[in-house]
Amino acid sequence: GDFFGFIPQFGIGRTDGEAVSDTGAQLVEGVNNILGAPASLVAPDSGMAQFFKGNADTARDWQSDAIKQRTASAGAAIDKAGEDGIIAQMLEAAKQYSTDPALAARFVVTNLPSMIPGIGAAKLAQVASLARGATLAQAAATATTVAGGMNAVLNAGGARGEAFDDIKATLIKQGIPEAQAIQQALKDSLLPAAVGGVAGFVSGKTGLEGAIVGKAGAKAALTAGAKSAAVELGGEQFEEVAPKLATNYQAAQYDNRSMGKDVGRTIVETAIGSGPGSLYSGVQAGFNTRSAPTVESQPTTPQAPTVAPQAPVTPDTAKTQAVDNIAAAIKELEGGTTQATPVQPGSQAADVGA
């Protein structure tokens, strides 16, 4: 049996040279997606935003015919499954990508450039904070906040650009003139941008960037690593799925689409693309935990013994009286006349003279 069709098909008719070329084209696509995000956040219809979008489309077209044909075929099957709901689309997407690793690899490669700005911003902020005298914990908090801000801008821009294109195309299909469709899409894409920004900040502050600059924890390395990987994967899902839902909400007023349109595809593709980052986040968090110093093993500084002040020594009155009496008796035997004088406590014995 084929176990629901999940049988890897490694050969898609590409040469080794085409495989390398496809990887390069996918990297270029990912780089242009990231570079164009700030422009898309400000004005997705601007020349700058359209320039980077055009570059990404051109890079996608550079791919070999074999992978472009497989991408189109898989996309059609996934779209068809989406008519039966989110779960059905997730299963079909998982089937398509698991049986063709070349298709799955595209999401990993195009996602790699998106990791660089957040990590770079976090490390720079950490170094700057430490140089100003901050503690490791303070530097880590500053770094993750900066990374969250960077990720918020990029994710909001990407979300707005995708929402703008989707809503604009939807309106044009409904017979709305292009100029009017553009103006309406500019307004409607603001909500997905806001949702994407919030999701991006949360993910950037708690995910991979946090694992890289975070201080060592107290949990077991395996537990900390698994938690960090799960946080990174969950954050990436939040980044992509939340804006997709917001876009569907806005576009549904024009084409009555389901809120779940393409959500199943998005979940699977995001899981594939964020896999390496989630794995690295888990490994880094585990390493940080193993490197943590054990508080109980810290040596204590020896303390100097405390010497209590001694009370002044008071002469023993009884002994002093006995000595004086003996001295007086000796004087009498020698013919002396002086009698022993009793000594009061704290006084000295009187000298005896002839």
Side-chain angles (χ1 to χ4, degrees), residues 123-195:
K123 292 302 293 183
L124 287 174
Q126 183 185 39
V127 171
S129 295
L130 291 174
R132 290 195 300 267
T135 64
L136 288 175
Q138 291 170 336
T142 300
T144 54
T145 300
V146 171
M150 173 68 75
N151 210 47
V153 171
L154 297 178
N155 202 59
R160 190 180 190 195
E162 291 180 6
F164 172 81
D165 291 339
D166 189 344
I167 296 171
K168 173 187 169 184
T170 298
L171 289 170
I172 291 176
K173 285 182 180 178
Q174 302 300 317
I176 303 298
E178 182 175 2
Q180 184 179 344
I182 290 174
Q183 293 305 311
Q184 190 62 46
L186 287 173
K187 296 177 183 178
D188 291 343
S189 60
L190 290 174
L191 176 61
V195 172

Side-chain angles (χ1 to χ4, degrees), residues 67-90:
I67 199 168
K68 284 192 289 186
Q69 291 170 1
R70 283 292 296 120
T71 299
S73 175
I78 294 170
D79 287 342
K80 179 66 176 176
E83 297 174 2
D84 297 325
I86 295 176
I87 300 300
Q89 189 174 54
M90 286 178 63

Side-chain angles (χ1 to χ4, degrees), residues 30 40 97 106 130 142 199 210 215 248:
S40 292
Y97 299 136
R106 173 178 176 271
L130 291 174
T142 300
K215 62 183 294 186
N248 287 340

Side-chain angles (χ1 to χ4, degrees), residues 111-112 114-116 118-119 122 144 147 202-214 228-229 231-233 235-236 239 274 276-285 288:
N111 187 60
L112 288 177
S114 69
M115 300 165 61
I116 297 174
I119 293 174
T144 54
V202 172
S203 178
K205 187 170 176 62
T206 61
L208 174 61
E209 296 84 354
I212 290 176
V213 303
S228 182
V231 168
E232 169 67 10
L233 186 59
E236 291 292 324
E239 279 189 36
S274 61
S278 300
L279 178 62
Y280 182 79
S281 179
V283 171
Q284 184 65 46
N288 289 345

